[in-house]
Amino acid sequence: MRILLIEDDDMIADGLKAGLGQLGFVVDWFRDGKSGLAALSGAPFDAVILDLGLPGLDGMEVLAAWRRAGRSEPVLILTARDALPERLKGLDAGADDYLVKPFALAEVAARLRALIRRRHGQSGPLYLHGALSFDPVARRATLSGEPLELTARELALLELLLVSKGRVLPRSLIEEKLYGWDQELDSNAVEVHVHHLRKKLGSGFIKTVRGIGYTLGDEE
């Protein structure tokens, strides 16, 4: 899942980018409000972490501009403004959740996962497809109860397919979801990941829609 992080505190942002990366998220980081405002339309982000006290353009102004433009990506506000009126102001302005600094990385990740689940209409914590079960918290997948040995990229692709169940995902979209702007991408990376997943899950698990992209196969 790809996350837009807008935070001007280098220590906090470095920790979030590294920590969330280890938990399976792809994080793109911007330090000021103006660049962060424009970044949301530059990639298919699944959620946003937004600080309020930003240079150039306040986070509340950034949020208001997004909502006026019809952007619906879930936004988690991180801020030192812990007074109740400030929290209510953020939520009423269109934020989906609010977390006061200092915070625990595990809670940020849990709140992001909850926001993404709600956006995709997923109520339970596990993603299921036939005999396959995926736990996004533990980053673990099982097939007929047996654990699967999957790389981080394979897990990310599997999660993306499960979250997007019923949709055909273009190759370009998959690339944008799995790789941030600062990460190198081989020209055939998606095809390689799909090939490896099919070997481990079965050839029919991922269906190729010619000229369009990939989707989940039928449940068996």
Side-chain angles (χ1 to χ4, degrees):
M1 299 289 100
R2 191 166 179 179
I3 305 299
L4 172 60
L5 169 62
I6 311 175
E7 169 63 66
D8 66 324
D9 187 308
D10 287 359
M11 184 175 294
I12 291 175
D14 275 333
L16 282 171
K17 185 174 174 66
L20 291 174
Q22 292 177 351
L23 296 175
F25 295 93
V26 175
V27 181
D28 290 296
W29 169 29
F30 292 83
R31 291 178 170 85
D32 65 89
K34 288 184 178 179
S35 61
L37 173 66
L40 190 61
S41 60
F45 291 104
D46 295 285
V48 180
I49 301 174
L50 176 65
D51 183 31
L52 292 184
L54 295 168
L57 191 65
D58 185 82
M60 202 70 77
E61 297 176 274
V62 172
L63 176 60
W66 283 338
R67 295 314 189 217
R68 285 196 304 270
R71 306 296 312 201
S72 61
E73 289 84 350
V75 175
L76 169 63
I77 287 179
L78 293 183
T79 183
R81 303 176 189 176
D82 60 350
L84 178 60
E86 288 291 338
R87 298 200 301 272
L88 295 177
K89 184 179 178 182
L91 293 170
D92 286 339
D96 298 273
D97 203 353
Y98 203 109
L99 198 55
V100 175
K101 302 173 183 178
F103 51 82
L105 175 67
E107 184 173 6
V108 175
R111 288 174 183 260
L112 287 174
R113 286 190 292 264
L115 291 176
I116 293 169
R117 282 200 308 271
R118 287 202 294 270
R119 188 183 188 195
H120 292 281
Q122 169 76 16
S123 57
L126 299 179
Y127 291 93
L128 306 174
H129 185 72
L132 180 123
S133 174
F134 173 68
D135 183 343
V137 179
R139 309 303 296 168
R140 182 174 60 241
T142 61
L143 186 63
S144 300
E146 295 296 321
L148 292 164
E149 293 295 330
L150 301 177
T151 67
R153 293 285 188 217
E154 290 164 5
L155 280 170
L157 175 56
L158 176 61
E159 181 177 21
L160 176 59
L161 288 166
L162 290 168
V163 167
S164 309
K165 198 170 185 176
R167 294 173 52 203
V168 179
L169 302 178
R171 177 179 176 273
S172 59
L173 176 61
I174 295 174
E175 290 177 345
E176 290 183 301
K177 289 283 193 178
L178 299 189
Y179 293 88
W181 282 311
D182 59 351
Q183 297 174 319
E184 292 187 5
L185 171 66
D186 293 333
S187 60
N188 65 336
V190 171
E191 288 81 1
V192 170
H193 297 324
V194 168
H195 172 72
H196 289 163
L197 274 183
R198 282 172 170 159
K199 287 182 67 176
K200 297 174 181 180
L201 300 174
S203 59
F205 188 84
I206 301 175
K207 180 182 177 182
T208 299
V209 180
R210 293 192 179 279
I212 302 178
Y214 301 98
T215 187
L216 287 178
D218 296 332
E219 295 187 49
E220 295 180 359

